Amino acid sequence: MEIDKILDDNLILNDLKAESKIQVLEKLSKVLKENEYISEVDGFVKDVLEREKLGVTGIGNFVAIPHGQSDYVNETTIAIGKLNKEIEWESLDNNGVRIVILFVVKNDKNFADEHLKLLSKVASNLANEDILKKLLSADSKEEIKIVLGVRDENSWCLCVCCWYSSYIFSERKVNKCSLQKRT
């Protein structure tokens, strides 16, 4: 499972206004419900909050990756909220968060395994300081997708390296990525 296969533009909320963790989860969940990825907002939020009790999902550097494995999930996906200001969130570095990447996973064994693989990929990307800085400064859905290495619908590579190269070389898109071996 690749992030570009499950990330829907409608689930990227840039400049999200919220005052608390619960407000963020509720706003992301409402968008998930509107786009039919979950069947019920309250039940899904409750499941995510139950998971939050098991351990800190604020991974530091102003990023949280909460995840809910829930019977209310219709389709596995990721919702991203880039907050307009830092909010309080339990985190490994005791800072708040400005970016929330919510993993939305069906409550079954096959999807749970895929969820762990995807979580691992995203977490390893977020361990890269350059990617993290670019994500924090991204001003649009497209920029967020570029930073996360998601390709557009024409299958052009939009990873940071290719995006930069295409900017330098006459702003043409690059269709072959040497780093990620994408075409």
Side-chain angles (χ1 to χ4, degrees), residues 27-64:
K27 287 182 179 198
L28 289 174
S29 296
K30 284 178 185 172
V31 172
L32 287 161
K33 170 78 169 111
E34 289 167 7
N35 288 277
E36 300 180 356
Y37 286 94
I38 63 172
S39 59
E40 182 185 307
V41 170
D42 294 338
F44 178 71
V45 170
K46 182 181 175 192
D47 288 345
V48 173
L49 291 172
E50 282 298 314
R51 168 55 188 86
E52 287 285 303
K53 291 177 185 176
L54 299 177
V56 174
T57 58
I59 60 171
N61 296 314
F62 308 104
V63 177

Side-chain angles (χ1 to χ4, degrees), residues 5-129:
K5 302 269 191 274
I6 63 169
L7 183 60
D8 179 339
D9 281 1
N10 295 323
L11 304 180
I12 302 173
L13 305 181
N14 203 24
D15 197 36
L16 178 63
K17 293 166 183 57
E19 300 294 324
S20 68
K21 176 196 295 191
I22 291 176
Q23 280 186 354
V24 170
L25 295 175
E26 287 173 345
K27 287 182 179 198
L28 289 174
S29 296
K30 284 178 185 172
V31 172
L32 287 161
K33 170 78 169 111
E34 289 167 7
N35 288 277
E36 300 180 356
Y37 286 94
I38 63 172
S39 59
E40 182 185 307
V41 170
D42 294 338
F44 178 71
V45 170
K46 182 181 175 192
D47 288 345
V48 173
L49 291 172
E50 282 298 314
R51 168 55 188 86
E52 287 285 303
K53 291 177 185 176
L54 299 177
V56 174
T57 58
I59 60 171
N61 296 314
F62 308 104
V63 177
I65 51 173
H67 34 290
Q69 192 172 339
S70 175
D71 291 330
Y72 298 105
V73 174
N74 299 327
E75 186 176 343
T76 296
T77 191
I78 294 174
I80 300 172
K82 183 162 183 278
L83 295 133
N84 67 338
K85 67 177 185 176
E86 182 180 334
I87 64 162
E88 199 173 302
W89 197 293
E90 301 82 11
S91 67
L92 298 175
D93 64 1
N94 296 315
N95 287 323
V97 301
R98 291 186 40 224
I99 296 175
V100 176
I101 302 173
L102 175 61
F103 289 80
V104 182
V105 183
K106 288 183 178 183
N107 195 12
D108 91 14
K109 174 75 172 115
N110 293 334
F111 284 99
D113 292 343
E114 290 298 319
H115 158 249
L116 291 176
K117 291 175 190 172
L118 186 60
L119 183 61
S120 174
K121 287 177 190 177
V122 171
S124 66
N125 281 345
L126 294 174
N128 180 312
E129 194 172 313

Side-chain angles (χ1 to χ4, degrees), residues 121-182:
K121 287 177 190 177
V122 171
S124 66
N125 281 345
L126 294 174
N128 180 312
E129 194 172 313
D130 289 334
I131 290 175
L132 204 51
K133 284 179 185 176
K134 286 176 176 30
L135 189 57
L136 286 166
S137 65
D139 290 327
S140 68
K141 291 179 183 189
E142 272 310 307
E143 284 184 74
I144 290 170
K145 288 169 53 177
I146 288 167
V147 172
L148 292 174
V150 177
R151 296 179 284 176
D152 69 10
E153 64 273 2
N154 296 318
S155 297
W156 295 97
C157 183
L158 294 175
C159 76
V160 174
C161 176
C162 291
W163 176 79
Y164 181 72
S165 295
S166 63
Y167 175 77
I168 297 298
F169 300 110
S170 304
E171 296 188 22
R172 63 181 169 82
K173 289 183 177 179
V174 175
N175 67 351
K176 192 156 189 106
C177 176
S178 60
L179 287 179
Q180 298 180 12
K181 306 289 187 239
R182 289 187 176 174

